[in-house]
Amino acid sequence: GAGVSQTPSNKVTEKGKYVELRCDPISGHTALYWYRQSLGQGPEFLIYFQGTGAADDSGLPNDRFFAVRPEGSVSTLKIQRTERGDSAVYLCASSPERANYGYTFGSGTRLTVV
Amino acid sequence: GESVGLHLPTLSVQEGDNSIINCAYSNSASDYFIWYKQESGKGPQFIIDIRSNMDKRQGQRVTVLLNKTVKHLSLQIAATQPGDSAVYFCAENMGDDKIIFGKGTRLHILP
């Protein structure tokens, strides 16, 4: 597609529920990144995929967070047993190759845990 | 949409004046730097980048300056327009595969 697409744009869920957030990167981009942005903060790195594999997941806060990219294109960020502190905007970005050529971000999914 | 960065430092600039947004980066090993613009309800948008072997780079109405001695980066926007209102983030890359964002600055344009 023309840009990075994220769905849904907004998600409200109850504490303890499971959620999935989807990212469609720019066609042909091999690198895909997930970030989390809390109000008043810059985006914080969560995980990076190169192709199908998670090359760096050092930013995932705990084992309730997991992400997949089974065919090297679309990625899904999965959050189990959601907590109110998980409320944030979750941003996805893609890059043709590596981070040092800059990324293109999607508009994000705003997750609210009530 | 919800405003990003309600508690960020704010720079107020008269329309038509030049804006200078500053950033101190954290790691002397960083070799690639980027400025992003983020409008309310949107993801960060790439503005301009610079590699560590340069100290200045110009784009359309924007200039980035890099001072590696003091680990300082600045973004200059010429003839600021209402559409420049946003939160601006500097970001750095240490040659690995992720970009680390700094704290943002909200740019407010006065009519």
Side-chain angles (χ1 to χ4, degrees):
Chain A
V4 177
S5 175
Q6 290 189 247
T7 54
S9 54
N10 283 283
K11 175 72 177 178
V12 180
T13 192
E14 292 181 347
K15 179 176 177 295
K17 299 289 189 183
Y18 168 81
V19 295
E20 291 189 350
L21 312 179
R22 177 185 166 109
C23 173
D24 272 279
I26 292 173
S27 178
H29 280 193
T30 59
L32 184 145
Y33 305 82
W34 284 98
Y35 281 75
R36 178 169 71 173
Q37 187 172 28
S38 301
L39 192 63
Q41 304 294 320
E44 293 178 77
F45 171 79
L46 295 177
I47 185 169
Y48 153 62
F49 288 89
Q50 183 61 256
T52 60
D56 184 346
D57 64 358
S58 62
L60 294 177
N62 53 58
D63 62 6
R64 296 187 297 106
F65 289 74
F66 189 71
V68 295
R69 195 186 185 199
E71 297 177 358
S73 178
V74 171
S75 177
T76 304
L77 178 66
K78 308 181 182 198
I79 311 173
Q80 298 177 319
R81 303 183 305 280
T82 51
E83 300 177 356
R84 292 196 178 88
D86 298 335
S87 296
V89 175
Y90 289 82
L91 293 162
C92 177
S94 70
S95 172
E97 185 178 339
R98 296 184 61 204
N100 59 6
Y101 291 89
Y103 324 142
T104 301
F105 279 89
S107 293
T109 294
R110 180 178 295 110
L111 176 66
T112 304
V113 182
V114 297
Chain B
E2 184 179 346
S3 178
V4 173
L6 292 178
H7 306 291
L8 292 170
T10 298
L11 174 67
S12 295
V13 174
Q14 204 75 39
E15 182 179 347
D17 286 353
N18 297 337
S19 302
I20 300 176
I21 301 171
N22 296 303
C23 173
Y25 64 91
S26 58
N27 198 314
S28 56
S30 294
D31 62 3
Y32 175 62
F33 304 88
I34 317 102
W35 280 100
Y36 283 92
K37 172 186 181 183
Q38 188 172 29
E39 296 174 289
S40 184
K42 298 184 179 179
Q45 176 188 3
F46 174 92
I47 301 173
I48 191 168
D49 59 2
I50 188 168
R51 298 194 185 273
S52 60
N53 60 353
M54 303 173 70
D55 53 19
K56 180 178 180 179
R57 188 162 188 231
Q58 289 185 288
Q60 186 177 14
R61 282 202 309 120
V62 294
T63 301
V64 55
L65 299 177
L66 174 62
N67 184 331
K68 295 183 287 294
T69 303
V70 295
K71 295 192 287 187
H72 184 268
L73 198 64
S74 69
L75 176 69
Q76 301 178 2
I77 305 173
T80 310
Q81 302 170 357
D84 295 328
S85 289
V87 177
Y88 289 81
F89 291 98
C90 64
E92 61 188 294
N93 172 257
M94 292 180 279
D96 62 0
D97 297 304
K98 57 183 178 281
I99 288 172
I100 304 300
F101 283 78
K103 299 184 189 302
T105 297
R106 175 180 298 284
L107 180 62
H108 177 60
I109 311 304
L110 302 168

